[in-house]
Amino acid sequence: MSRAAQGYRSTIEMIQLDDLRVSVRRAGAGSPVLLLHGFPHTKEIWREVEPLLVAAGHEVLMPDLRGTGDTERTASGYDAASLATDQVCLLDALCLQTAHVVGFDFGAAPAFNLAAAHPDRVLSLTLVEAVISGLAGAETFLASGGPWWFGFHQAPDDLAENVLSGDEDRYIRYFLGIGSRRGVPEDLARHFIRAYTGRDSLRAAFEHYRAMPANAQWNRSWAQQSRLTMPVTAVGASTVGDTPARQLTLIADHLDQRLLPDSGHIVPVDAPDDLASIVAATAARATSART
C-alpha cells in the first residue's frame, strides 16, 4: 500500500449513547471504516493501520468496545447483538448511515452480528483472525477443545478476575508475547496493561467471553435462513489460518480469502500494511458492486 498519510490529525471523542459512554478515535475523511479491536487490546491496536487507511481515502473510526479502554464498563450488554447495537448507535451519533466494518479477534463477534442483523448499515465486512461462534467450518480448529483461555475466561463465580487481580502485567504480556512475531512495542504493551488492570476491567473483558454461548446460539439460528450479501473478506494468519474462510464460505455470497502466514495473531501489529491493503481492497469491491 502507499505510504501513510502525512500531516493529518486524529481526535478522540467521548460520545454518549443511550446507555453507554464510548471513547472513539476518528481520523481522515471519505468512506467510513469502523475498526473493532480484540483482547487484550484497545482502539490503540490500530495505530499503524489508521494512517494507511486515511491515505487510502477513508474516515477511520476506532472505538473502545463496551467495557474496554476508556469506554464505560457496564454490568451487562456484552453479547454480540448488544455490542453490534452499540455500533449502530455510534454511527447514528456520528451521522453516518453506513461503514465498512472490520472485526479482529473478539471484535469479530460484534462485526459479524452487525453485518448479519443490520446489513443496511454495513458496506463490507472484514474478519481478522477470529472464529465465529456457532458456525460450521471450525471443527478442525476446535478439535482439541479450542484455546484454553476461552474456558478460563468463561468460568463462573468470577474465577478468572479473582485469580488474576494483581497479576495483570504478567497475564497481558503473555498474550502479547504469543500473539506477535514482530513484538508489541513497549509503550503499546504498557497501555494495554493499564487498560486491563483492576478487577472491574478484567470482569468487563471476560464478559465478552462469557457471552460466547449466547452468540453461538444466535449465529446458528441466523445461518439457517440467512446469508451475507455484502463483500466479505476472511483474513487468517499463523493462529487461525483458513478457519474464518471455511466458516464464511458457507454463508457469504461474495467472499474473498487472504492468508498471512508470516504474521502472528496480532495482525494489526505484525502486518499493518497488508491488513490496510486488504481492508481498502474489500471497500473497493463494495464500491464497485454499488456502481
Side-chain angles (χ1 to χ4, degrees):
M1 186 173 230
S2 63
R3 65 187 178 88
Q6 301 295 321
Y8 79 93
R9 297 184 64 181
S10 62
T11 62
I12 296 178
E13 303 176 28
M14 296 299 298
I15 297 178
Q16 182 65 53
L17 308 182
D18 289 343
D19 69 336
L20 184 72
R21 190 166 173 80
V22 175
S23 176
V24 58
R25 184 183 183 100
R26 303 177 68 184
S31 185
V33 177
L34 177 65
L35 303 176
L36 305 181
H37 65 83
F39 173 85
H41 320 126
T42 69
K43 59 182 177 293
E44 296 303 317
I45 196 67
W46 305 108
R47 69 182 191 181
E48 291 190 54
V49 177
E50 171 196 318
L52 299 168
L53 290 176
V54 170
H58 292 284
E59 178 180 8
V60 188
L61 311 172
M62 298 151 283
D64 286 331
L65 291 175
R66 179 183 290 256
T68 68
D70 294 322
T71 290
E72 186 178 0
R73 303 186 212 307
T74 57
S76 60
Y78 295 92
D79 61 285
S82 296
L83 296 170
T85 299
D86 291 344
Q87 308 316 312
V88 171
C89 292
L90 177 62
L91 292 177
D92 288 343
L94 298 176
C95 299
L96 297 172
Q97 179 60 35
T98 57
H100 303 282
V101 177
V102 181
F104 163 55
D105 191 72
F106 75 25
F112 176 82
N113 190 281
L114 183 57
H118 309 276
D120 58 318
R121 310 302 296 268
V122 178
L123 296 170
S124 70
L125 176 66
T126 304
L127 299 182
V128 184
E129 274 284 288
V131 177
I132 307 303
S133 299
L135 294 188
E139 292 80 9
T140 300
F141 181 79
L142 299 174
S144 60
W148 62 265
W149 55 88
F150 280 22
F152 178 50
H153 293 173
Q154 293 178 52
D157 301 323
D158 304 333
L159 175 66
E161 49 266 52
N162 288 338
V163 169
L164 294 171
S165 292
D167 204 15
E168 294 91 344
D169 187 295
R170 183 168 61 166
Y171 195 65
I172 299 306
R173 286 186 186 276
Y174 168 80
F175 286 99
L176 301 180
I178 65 171
S180 173
R181 292 182 175 179
R182 173 183 168 187
V184 176
E186 179 60 22
D187 67 312
L188 189 57
R190 289 197 300 267
H191 166 80
F192 293 149
I193 292 164
R194 287 193 299 271
Y196 288 92
T197 293
R199 191 179 184 285
D200 198 47
S201 296
L202 291 171
R203 188 270 313 168
F206 300 151
E207 291 294 342
H208 288 261
Y209 290 88
R210 290 166 183 152
M212 284 181 174
N215 296 344
Q217 182 177 0
W218 192 96
N219 292 342
R220 280 192 294 267
S221 177
W222 176 88
Q224 289 175 0
Q225 56 188 353
S226 303
R227 296 183 62 82
L228 298 174
T229 58
M230 71 288 292
V232 177
T233 300
V235 182
S238 60
T239 301
V240 176
D242 67 352
T243 299
R246 288 177 179 271
Q247 293 186 293
L248 290 167
T249 193
L250 302 173
I251 56 168
D253 290 341
H254 307 287
L255 176 66
D256 189 19
Q257 175 185 0
R258 298 294 300 274
L259 292 175
L260 303 174
D262 295 328
S263 172
H265 174 66
I266 310 177
V267 178
V269 168
D270 282 1
D273 291 87
D274 290 332
L275 182 55
S277 293
I278 291 168
V279 172
T282 307
R285 283 203 290 138
T287 300
S288 177
R290 293 200 309 275
T291 58

